[in-house]
Amino acid sequence: MPILETITILDSADIVRVRQKVRSQTVALGFGLVDQTKIVTAASEIARNTLDYGGGGSVTLEVLESAHRVGLRLTFTDQGAGIANIELALQNGYTTGSGLGLGLGGAKRLMHEFEITSEVGKGTCVTTVRWRQ
Amino acid sequence: MERIPILQMGQFLLVTIQVDMHDRLALALQDDLTDRIVKTSASGVLIDISSLEIVDSFIGRVLGNIATVSQLLGTETVIVGMQPAIAITLVELGLSLSGVRTAANIDAGMRLLQISLGAPFHGGLDANP
Ligand SMILES: Nc1ncnc2c1ncn2[C@@H]1O[C@H](COP(=O)(O)OP(=O)(O)OP(=O)(O)O)[C@@H](O)[C@H]1O
Ligand SMILES: [Mg+2]
């Protein structure tokens, strides 16, 4: 499947860039406005985690296309501290920072597929897909 | 650094957010508004987010903080013009913004402020008090 681009996430301006790139790709793929808003919001949440907890990293945008559906896959990777307990991290209200603990669980609810792999001390990878409705 | 402008209209402050705010810009707005509320003794704040394409948990938290801080300073804040797609997304995200007053547009927000201040509503924006 075509990889569209990889965006590095090293400061808060990069989070805005991620939002803008994800937005323009969903527009190009014909996603509706609510769908666009959901993916962009999820991307913003995960990108901020990549920056704040992962010490920076990157996101790769890919188009998924088959005979009967079209989707956008986002893969965020970092080499940060990792997540010891993924189930706990996904819970609403759980935070080790100063946030609300909504980002990760919220992003999962906003997307159709959501997978986290993480190793403590090595880093985290979040892969997520939303299909065009 | 780039700043979001704050306009004074009579006893109210008006902020129109027209750019996709990065985190530091959102925090700067929170600081600047607090400053202006104190300096002007404004009785109400309107934040127009109709041009804003997303509100994530960070921006949502900043809007909530602005509302809470302004209330502690004796000023009402109303967020106006939230796009329906954002409202739907915020609910799914789990952000209720429960302490934040909202209105459909600037006029409605202005009326809401007038009512909560117990002052008669004269209608329209008065740029020259
Ligand atoms: N990439 C990551 N690397 C290491 N830890 C992470 C990463 N992403 C999330 N976490 C951990 O998971 C917790 C929950 O993340 P989540 O995004 O849900 O909340 P938050 O970022 O703390 O607050 P919010 O997103 O509401 O501002 C974080 O506090 C952090 O401990
Ligand atoms: Mg987060």
Side-chain angles (χ1 to χ4, degrees):
Chain A
M1 287 295 157
I3 291 187
L4 296 167
E5 57 194 317
T6 296
I7 304 160
T8 56
I9 302 167
L10 294 173
D11 63 40
S12 75
D14 290 333
I15 300 176
V16 175
R17 278 203 311 133
V18 169
R19 294 203 286 253
Q20 287 165 350
K21 297 279 187 186
V22 171
R23 170 77 66 178
S24 58
Q25 292 304 341
T26 55
V27 170
L29 290 171
F31 280 77
L33 182 59
V34 173
D35 264 353
Q36 290 171 28
T37 308
K38 287 182 177 181
I39 308 181
V40 172
T41 306
S44 186
E45 294 298 339
I46 307 166
R48 185 172 293 101
N49 285 349
T50 299
L51 179 64
D52 289 350
Y53 306 110
S58 67
V59 57
T60 298
L61 281 57
E62 278 169 283
V63 177
L64 304 182
E65 217 159 3
S66 69
H68 55 281
R69 58 181 185 174
V70 173
L72 185 67
R73 176 158 67 199
L74 308 174
T75 307
F76 295 80
T77 49
D78 66 62
Q79 274 79 52
I83 305 174
N85 186 338
I86 290 171
E87 219 170 293
L88 192 61
L90 279 166
Q91 276 175 21
N92 274 5
Y94 177 82
T95 179
T96 59
S98 57
L100 299 168
L102 287 178
L104 215 49
K108 185 175 178 180
R109 285 189 292 278
L110 290 169
M111 300 294 283
H112 291 134
E113 291 169 27
F114 196 88
E115 198 183 283
I116 304 175
T117 54
S118 188
E119 208 176 317
V120 173
K122 290 240 168 92
T124 300
C125 179
V126 179
T127 305
T128 184
V129 177
R130 190 164 172 99
W131 301 99
R132 193 173 71 196
Q133 300 290 285
Chain B
M1 197 182 97
E2 179 194 8
R3 285 292 222 263
I4 295 181
I6 301 169
L7 301 180
Q8 185 163 7
M9 291 180 144
Q11 54 187 335
F12 300 141
L13 298 177
L14 174 64
V15 180
T16 304
I17 302 175
Q18 274 166 327
V19 292
D20 189 349
M21 291 187 292
H22 57 77
D23 297 0
R24 271 174 298 119
L25 188 57
L27 291 173
L29 174 64
Q30 187 182 328
D31 288 351
D32 290 349
L33 251 181
T34 307
D35 222 44
R36 284 290 288 277
I37 289 169
V38 172
K39 281 204 182 109
T40 61
S41 314
S43 49
V45 176
L46 288 164
I47 303 179
D48 181 4
I49 62 166
S50 56
S51 308
L52 210 57
E53 291 187 327
I54 75 138
V55 173
D56 65 2
S57 67
F58 189 89
I59 295 170
R61 184 151 46 102
V62 169
L63 293 175
N65 286 350
I66 288 173
T68 307
V69 170
S70 72
Q71 198 144 46
L72 288 172
L73 296 170
T75 305
E76 285 288 335
T77 294
V78 179
I79 308 283
V80 302
M82 183 185 291
Q83 291 182 16
I86 294 181
I88 292 168
T89 301
L90 281 180
V91 170
E92 216 157 301
L93 191 63
L95 199 67
S96 59
L97 289 182
S98 52
V100 178
R101 307 184 75 186
T102 56
N105 52 48
I106 292 183
D107 274 351
M110 197 78 90
R111 236 170 295 144
L112 195 63
L113 286 176
Q114 300 275 13
I115 290 165
S116 72
L117 291 170
F121 177 63
H122 298 298
L125 297 177
D126 184 6
N128 294 308

